[in-house]
Amino acid sequence: MDPINLIAAFDAVTQHWSPKVVGRVNDQYVKLAKVLGELAWHRHDEEDELFLVVRGRLRIEFEGGAERVLEAGEFCVVPKGVLHNPVADEECWIVLIETVTTKHTGDVDTPLTKTIEQQLA
């Protein structure tokens, strides 16, 4: 029940697109990530995914050409089954809230994919 300072916790995040679990609420993980460039087009068939921008700007591209741009302090929930690709043109700090079963890159494996064990380390 100790408080966690998010800004200080970001010091432990040293690689882009490598989320770190900093908390758990029921069956949801709270993760921190620093992102730069793009991750990969993917979907999560069974889970929604929340992206909250702490610093910088995140663009989330969606199938069909739609996109959402998130500024610091804004969040977006990507519903399960929606094909998406997160992109950061400059380094961006994000909080992710995801079901504990959510795979990092959903239905695809890439060189950036991290296992839950890597995210818990």
Side-chain angles (χ1 to χ4, degrees), residues 38-57:
E38 63 182 90
L39 181 56
W41 283 97
H42 67 285
R43 73 180 86 235
H44 306 278
D45 290 329
E46 302 299 325
E47 303 98 357
D48 299 333
E49 183 176 31
L50 183 143
F51 292 84
L52 167 65
V53 175
V54 174
R55 182 177 289 171
R57 174 184 295 162

Side-chain angles (χ1 to χ4, degrees), residues 105-120:
T105 52
D107 61 341
V108 300
D109 284 320
T110 77
L112 295 174
T113 301
K114 304 296 181 204
T115 66
I116 193 58
E117 290 78 19
Q118 291 170 309
Q119 295 174 60
L120 287 165

